[in-house]
Amino acid sequence: MKILLLNSILRTSEKNVISDTESIKDCMIYNLGLGFVKLGHEVTLVAASEYKPLEEEQYEFEVVFIPSVLKTLFLPSVLPFQPGVWRFIKNNRQKFDIIISSEVFAFPSLFAAILAPSKTVVWQEMTRHQRKFRKIPSKIWYNVILPVFMRRLKAIVPRSGQAYGFISRYSGNVSKVIVDHGVNTDLFRFSALKKRQLICVARLVPGKNINNIIEKFAGLLQMNGYEDVKLLIAGSGESETMLKELVKSLKLTGNVEFLGYLPHNQLNNYVSESMALLVDTLNDLNMVSIPEAIVSGTPVVTNLVPASAQYISENQLGIAKYQWLAPELKEIIDSNRDYVNNCLNYRDKLSFTSTASKLLGLF
């Protein structure tokens, strides 16, 4: 089958600034494309030109970058407007068997819903209205654009239970089959052998709430028998200096190590050797680091903000709690072998090949 993937925004931007990148091969949607290729299908990915890497890359399938226009009104980091996507779909719709578009609230999804509705599935991640302009554009889109111009879609497929609950309020054409993000399991080795260490993988920015993680970790070190545990922090960002000063003020220098930004192959070594990934984000719906940790055999301690908190709890892949503290860190260490075994048993369900198969199954 010939599959068209529409995903304008390839990665999250901080403060609406799209940072330069050397590759898109670590993006979720690119690896999903690899999942379809692995199943024997032909894939074309359409994305916004603003996310094109600095240097030319060789891809395993066709990637088309189309520029955004009216960028002051429609920020490419939030809601790219690409008339070229309309033309691309109109001129090529006959050659594609399936169109999978990311998000209901996106112009490519609207274009595909109008030009090729019977071939189009929208893969919904959002679990609430976008906050820009007091949520007014988002509410207009879901209450007017969706029922009027997108009602003939093949289906809307939620990526989480929270996404299902949200989008079901605005459409009756929502699949009850939830298809979560996948992981390229070929890139992540699984290890049941763990060191006495925990890890946090994130951009070092306020929204990741890493200062809170450090303070909770400090509470763990006060418990007898846990003074030797280390916390690794992988990532870079504007809060790095502040976080290092916090570590110093709490006298945790010997237990906390800042790794900086690491490529996937190096990062996986640290993640797979750790007893848990720690997450305390303030606003991330889906964090790629969570499924990457699970397929590496590393359970997760997280608050309930990420959509993946639901399947973490249901499958005992870690601890998901509104406000986890030092006792939860003790629990994940004490029962680590059980949690690791659960991750091993769940690993194949998180592969991109599995995700691709589920999406194809809806057709």
Side-chain angles (χ1 to χ4, degrees):
M1 298 172 76
K2 294 186 176 180
I3 301 170
L4 174 61
L5 300 178
L6 302 175
N7 198 128
S8 297
I9 299 175
L10 295 183
R11 59 185 179 279
T12 303
S13 302
E14 195 66 33
K15 296 181 179 179
N16 297 323
V17 177
I18 301 173
S19 58
D20 292 333
T21 183
E22 296 181 357
S23 176
I24 67 165
K25 291 188 176 183
D26 58 349
C27 295
M28 181 278 298
I29 198 67
Y30 182 83
N31 283 280
L32 175 62
L34 291 179
F36 285 114
V37 171
K38 198 170 183 178
L39 293 173
H41 303 286
E42 294 183 40
V43 175
T44 298
L45 168 63
V46 172
S49 295
E50 289 73 17
Y51 295 88
K52 189 174 183 179
L54 296 172
E55 303 292 336
E56 291 293 327
E57 291 188 288
Q58 296 297 316
Y59 300 121
E60 285 83 351
F61 52 85
E62 183 181 19
V63 180
V64 179
F65 291 99
I66 296 178
S68 305
V69 301
L70 302 177
K71 298 182 184 181
T72 303
L73 181 61
F74 300 106
L75 297 176
S77 61
V78 180
L79 186 65
F81 180 52
Q82 303 159 276
V85 174
W86 173 280
R87 292 190 293 271
F88 182 89
I89 297 173
K90 184 177 181 180
N91 295 335
N92 296 280
R93 56 187 164 179
Q94 297 302 325
K95 79 175 188 178
F96 292 109
D97 300 298
I98 299 174
I99 300 174
I100 299 173
S101 186
S102 181
E103 298 302 325
V104 165
F105 188 18
F107 282 108
S109 297
L110 174 61
F111 299 158
I114 294 172
L115 294 170
S118 63
K119 296 181 177 182
T120 301
V121 157
V122 175
W123 198 23
Q124 176 73 10
E125 178 179 2
M126 294 300 297
T127 61
R128 57 180 179 264
H129 287 291
Q130 288 193 1
R131 299 175 183 174
K132 293 290 183 181
F133 302 107
R134 298 184 179 181
K135 303 181 182 179
I136 294 174
S138 179
K139 289 183 176 181
I140 292 174
W141 194 286
Y142 284 101
N143 285 286
V144 180
I145 302 297
L146 173 57
V148 175
F149 298 101
M150 304 177 74
R151 66 184 184 278
R152 294 189 297 130
L153 282 168
K154 179 78 173 178
I156 299 172
V157 182
R159 306 190 199 186
S160 66
Q162 295 95 317
Y164 177 86
F166 172 70
I167 194 60
S168 294
R169 289 156 46 192
Y170 302 99
S171 174
N173 190 21
V174 180
S175 167
K176 292 184 179 180
V177 177
I178 293 173
V179 182
D180 199 350
H181 287 133
V183 175
N184 188 341
T185 52
D186 294 338
L187 299 178
F188 297 91
R189 70 178 182 88
F190 181 96
S191 176
L193 300 176
K194 303 297 184 181
K195 296 180 179 180
R196 296 271 290 179
Q197 66 188 36
L198 307 170
I199 190 167
C200 172
V201 180
R203 287 174 291 121
L204 306 188
V205 294
K208 300 297 183 179
N209 209 22
I210 300 170
N211 57 311
N212 224 22
I213 291 177
I214 293 172
E215 291 171 356
K216 293 173 182 180
F217 174 71
L220 174 70
L221 298 183
Q222 300 302 312
M223 299 180 180
N224 290 332
Y226 298 88
E227 301 89 348
D228 62 318
V229 179
K230 289 191 174 183
L231 172 62
L232 308 181
I233 299 176
S236 59
E238 62 187 70
S239 300
E240 183 169 351
T241 299
M242 179 271 290
L243 293 173
K244 288 181 176 179
E245 290 175 353
L246 175 62
V247 168
K248 187 176 180 179
S249 68
L250 294 174
K251 299 180 180 179
L252 303 177
T253 305
N255 292 85
V256 178
E257 180 180 356
F258 288 84
L259 304 175
Y261 172 80
L262 296 173
H264 268 109
N265 57 338
Q266 294 181 36
L267 179 61
N268 178 233
N269 291 332
Y270 288 106
V271 172
S272 64
E273 294 173 350
S274 298
M275 303 186 84
L277 172 76
L278 308 186
V279 176
D280 200 25
T281 181
L282 299 178
N283 48 34
D284 291 280
L285 297 178
N286 284 289
M287 301 180 66
V288 176
S289 59
I290 288 178
E292 288 179 350
I294 293 170
V295 301
S296 301
T298 300
V300 181
V301 177
T302 180
N303 58 14
L304 300 182
V305 174
S308 49
Q310 182 175 352
Y311 74 75
I312 289 172
S313 290
E314 290 175 352
N315 298 280
Q316 295 185 303
L317 305 173
I319 298 172
K321 191 173 181 180
Y322 173 70
Q323 189 177 60
W324 58 266
L325 296 166
E328 282 69 43
L329 298 182
K330 178 179 181 298
E331 159 65 16
I332 205 74
I333 292 173
D334 292 348
S335 303
N336 201 246
R337 182 176 293 277
D338 292 335
Y339 286 114
V340 170
N341 287 337
N342 293 339
C343 291
L344 173 60
N345 294 331
Y346 200 79
R347 189 174 196 266
D348 289 342
K349 295 180 181 179
L350 288 177
S351 71
F352 271 120
T353 306
S354 176
T355 299
S357 295
K358 291 177 184 177
L359 288 170
L360 289 175
L362 296 172
F363 282 84

